[in-house]
């Protein structure tokens, strides 16, 4: 039986949300296979040349030293340009800089989100409270953009959401295609917490519309 545990994480270490804590989750689940949120073309940079690293790759590298566990990159291989990432960052800074209730809400919510991640680690990232707070952050962004009323900033936000949607579809498609061709017992799927709600919704849709049935577990503590 193909069982996959979805574990929400973050890419930078902060407080209790760190690679050692994720390693402990690996030990607890004891996966045969790990699906990870990196593009296939980046695999060598993380695990061969080792010019890149993040929280997840550090935990996976440590786990791989003592466990014969394959790890498969499943993210979309075509990344947005650096200028697009800068545009998105600039958009968030404009919202953060608002002096009205919209800016206040955005700053308060993002500060709380980071604080909870540092204080409670993966217990928070894999909890409905994290989903609720992420929803509230997105609502603050939308209201902030309405206040600013700038077409370019709104386009940037819409393109960001469209790209995330494409990435989530690609990740699930790659997981299902791999699962159709390979046997494994227990797998893990490590992915950023901001994707959790949308991915769970997409997984339920996949389960209704595909012949292959995977046994999904949504990690909680």
């Amino acid at each position: 039986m193909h069982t996959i545990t979805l574990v929400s994480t973050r890419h930078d270490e902060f407080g209790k949300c760190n690679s050692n804590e994720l390693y402990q989750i690996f030990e607890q689940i004891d996966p045969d296979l790990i699906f990870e949120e990196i593009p296939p073309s980046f695999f060598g940079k993380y695990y061969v040349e080792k010019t890149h690293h993040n929280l997840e790759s550090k935990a996976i590298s440590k786990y791989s030293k003592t466990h014969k566990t394959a790890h498969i990159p499943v993210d979309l291989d075509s990344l947005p340009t650096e200028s697009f990432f800068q545009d998105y960052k600039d958009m968030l800074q404009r919202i953060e800089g608002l002096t009205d209730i919209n800016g206040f809400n955005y700053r308060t919510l993002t500060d709380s989100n980071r604080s909870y991640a540092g204080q409670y680690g993966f217990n928070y990232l894999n909890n409905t409270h994290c989903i609720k707070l992420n929803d509230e952050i997105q609502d603050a962004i939308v209201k902030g953009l309405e206040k600013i009323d700038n077409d370019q900033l709104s386009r940037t936000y819409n393109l960001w959401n469209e790209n995330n949607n494409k990435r989530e579809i690609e990740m699930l498609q790659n997981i299902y295609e791999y699962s159709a061709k390979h046997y494994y017992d227990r797998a893990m799927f490590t992915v950023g917490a901001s994707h959790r709600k949308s991915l769970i919704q997409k997984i339920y849709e996949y389960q209704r519309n595909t012949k292959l049935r995977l046994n999904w577990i949504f990690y909680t503590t």
Side-chain angles (χ1 to χ4, degrees):
M1 183 63 177
H2 296 83
T3 296
I4 306 177
T5 302
L6 186 153
V7 177
S8 299
T9 182
R10 56 182 286 144
H11 308 314
D12 61 312
E13 301 194 68
F14 180 64
K16 286 196 69 176
C17 190
N18 59 64
S19 58
N20 288 330
E21 292 290 330
L22 182 57
Y23 175 84
Q24 294 302 319
I25 296 174
F26 288 157
E27 289 282 11
Q28 173 188 338
I29 296 174
D30 188 25
D32 309 318
L33 176 70
I34 301 169
F35 296 110
E36 57 178 318
E37 182 196 354
I38 61 169
S41 61
F42 275 51
F43 189 85
K45 297 177 182 179
Y46 279 91
Y47 298 106
V48 182
E49 296 91 354
K50 298 184 179 179
T51 56
H52 290 56
H53 70 271
N54 58 22
L55 186 160
E56 298 97 314
S57 68
K58 289 172 67 175
I60 289 170
S61 293
K62 180 179 179 180
Y63 190 75
S64 298
K65 290 179 180 179
T66 54
H67 300 76
K68 293 182 178 180
T69 303
H71 46 112
I72 309 297
V74 294
D75 204 349
L76 192 67
D77 221 356
S78 56
L79 294 176
T81 63
E82 287 298 323
S83 62
F84 175 72
F85 283 111
Q86 187 59 50
D87 287 344
Y88 185 73
K89 182 178 178 180
D90 292 343
M91 181 206 76
L92 294 179
Q93 288 177 343
R94 287 285 301 277
I95 296 169
E96 185 177 12
L98 289 172
T99 57
D100 61 3
I101 187 62
N102 300 300
F104 174 81
N105 286 341
Y106 176 77
R107 292 188 298 272
T108 301
L109 291 166
T110 54
D111 286 348
S112 295
N113 190 42
R114 179 173 172 80
S115 176
Y116 291 149
Q119 186 174 358
Y120 301 108
F122 293 93
N123 290 348
Y124 167 68
L125 296 181
N126 292 274
N127 188 283
T128 55
H129 182 54
C130 181
I131 289 177
K132 181 176 182 294
L133 197 53
N134 274 313
D135 283 345
E136 291 173 350
I137 290 171
Q138 293 306 308
D139 185 60
I141 291 173
V142 170
K143 289 179 178 177
L145 289 172
E146 290 174 353
K147 176 68 175 182
I148 296 170
D149 192 21
N150 180 289
D151 289 343
Q152 180 58 46
L153 295 180
S154 296
R155 278 196 296 272
T156 296
Y157 179 67
N158 290 334
L159 287 171
W160 179 265
N161 288 332
E162 289 173 11
N163 184 67
N164 278 337
N165 184 59
K166 289 178 182 178
R167 290 176 57 212
E168 290 165 1
I169 291 171
E170 178 77 6
M171 286 189 279
L172 288 181
Q173 181 175 319
N174 288 334
I175 288 172
Y176 273 82
E177 287 181 355
Y178 183 94
S179 301
K181 299 174 183 177
H182 300 84
Y183 173 80
Y184 58 84
D185 186 19
R186 296 178 309 280
M188 282 179 60
F189 177 25
T190 58
V191 64
S194 62
H195 296 283
R196 187 177 180 89
K197 178 180 178 180
S198 181
L199 276 171
I200 289 174
Q201 291 171 342
K202 287 182 172 67
I203 286 167
Y204 284 135
E205 184 177 348
Y206 254 85
Q207 293 290 87
R208 288 194 302 267
N209 298 318
T210 60
K211 292 182 180 179
L212 179 62
R213 294 289 183 270
L214 304 180
N215 180 31
W216 284 96
I217 298 173
F218 305 124
Y219 181 78
T220 57
T221 56

